[in-house]
Amino acid sequence: MTKRRNGQAEGGAEVIGILVRYIVVFLVIAIFMWAAKTIVRKAFGIPKEPEGSRTQNYVKQRFDEVDQQVKNYTWVVLFAVLVVNVAYFPQSYAFIIAVFLYTATRMLIKAYIERKYSTVPRQALVTITELAVLTASLIIILNFNLL
């Protein structure tokens, strides 16, 4: 492996290390989300709705109607944040925070629709739990500079 003048390794190993770090962080978050959902389902007695159930289809249809409007505006905003982040603030977490806000907005809309239209309104607790785990993960990642 060749070294640059400032002592850092060149491209390949550095990129692989970054990718491995992202994958590990993603897997840990996914495991925590799965565990939290399972615990909340068991603690509050929330059944899983079978795929393709009538209620689930109605909730999905309502969510898709609202979500499409959110997506249309958000893609433009996320692209603008990405361009500004890369061009002017390459070391900031602005894009990660923007993606988190987008995801949080979608999850809150989903929880509201589940609470209002589902035959199992407590299903919204599972969605809120996912959002709480995601929020805690983001705070930990930013505080300990894990990315």
Side-chain angles (χ1 to χ4, degrees), residues 59-94:
V59 169
K60 185 178 180 330
Q61 179 186 3
R62 293 289 296 192
F63 177 67
D64 288 345
E65 290 171 5
V66 175
D67 190 46
Q68 189 60 41
Q69 295 172 357
V70 172
K71 281 181 185 176
N72 290 339
Y73 295 111
T74 306
W75 286 115
V76 174
V77 172
L78 285 177
F79 182 73
V81 168
L82 178 64
V83 169
V84 169
N85 191 41
V86 169
Y88 298 107
F89 309 105
Q91 298 298 323
S92 77
Y93 290 113

Side-chain angles (χ1 to χ4, degrees), residues 46-60:
I46 302 170
K48 280 182 131 178
E49 289 190 39
E51 279 293 320
S53 71
R54 189 171 168 205
T55 304
Q56 188 183 34
N57 286 338
Y58 180 71
V59 169
K60 185 178 180 330

Side-chain angles (χ1 to χ4, degrees), residues 20-30 141 146-147:
V20 168
R21 202 170 358 164
Y22 281 133
I23 290 169
V24 168
V25 167
F26 174 76
L27 287 175
V28 168
I29 291 171
I141 287 169
L146 296 176
L147 293 181

Side-chain angles (χ1 to χ4, degrees), residues 1-144:
M1 173 178 353
T2 50
K3 294 203 177 233
R4 294 183 192 166
R5 281 187 223 160
N6 61 3
Q8 292 180 349
E10 280 198 35
E14 191 173 318
V15 170
I16 290 173
I18 290 170
L19 287 176
V20 168
R21 202 170 358 164
Y22 281 133
I23 290 169
V24 168
V25 167
F26 174 76
L27 287 175
V28 168
I29 291 171
I31 290 169
F32 277 126
M33 286 181 107
W34 173 81
K37 283 174 28 177
T38 303
I39 290 169
V40 166
R41 281 192 191 284
K42 288 187 189 236
F44 292 106
I46 302 170
K48 280 182 131 178
E49 289 190 39
E51 279 293 320
S53 71
R54 189 171 168 205
T55 304
Q56 188 183 34
N57 286 338
Y58 180 71
V59 169
K60 185 178 180 330
Q61 179 186 3
R62 293 289 296 192
F63 177 67
D64 288 345
E65 290 171 5
V66 175
D67 190 46
Q68 189 60 41
Q69 295 172 357
V70 172
K71 281 181 185 176
N72 290 339
Y73 295 111
T74 306
W75 286 115
V76 174
V77 172
L78 285 177
F79 182 73
V81 168
L82 178 64
V83 169
V84 169
N85 191 41
V86 169
Y88 298 107
F89 309 105
Q91 298 298 323
S92 77
Y93 290 113
F95 185 70
I96 293 172
I97 292 170
V99 169
F100 168 75
L101 291 174
Y102 167 66
T103 304
T105 302
R106 290 185 67 204
M107 291 176 93
L108 287 171
I109 291 169
K110 181 181 176 193
Y112 173 76
I113 290 172
E114 285 173 343
R115 180 79 176 157
K116 188 162 175 112
Y117 298 109
S118 178
T119 56
V120 185
R122 292 181 301 177
Q123 177 68 26
L125 289 174
V126 176
T127 303
I128 296 298
T129 301
E130 287 178 322
L131 181 59
V133 170
L134 194 63
T135 303
S137 301
L138 181 69
I139 291 169
I140 290 168
I141 287 169
L142 295 180
N143 277 340
F144 295 109

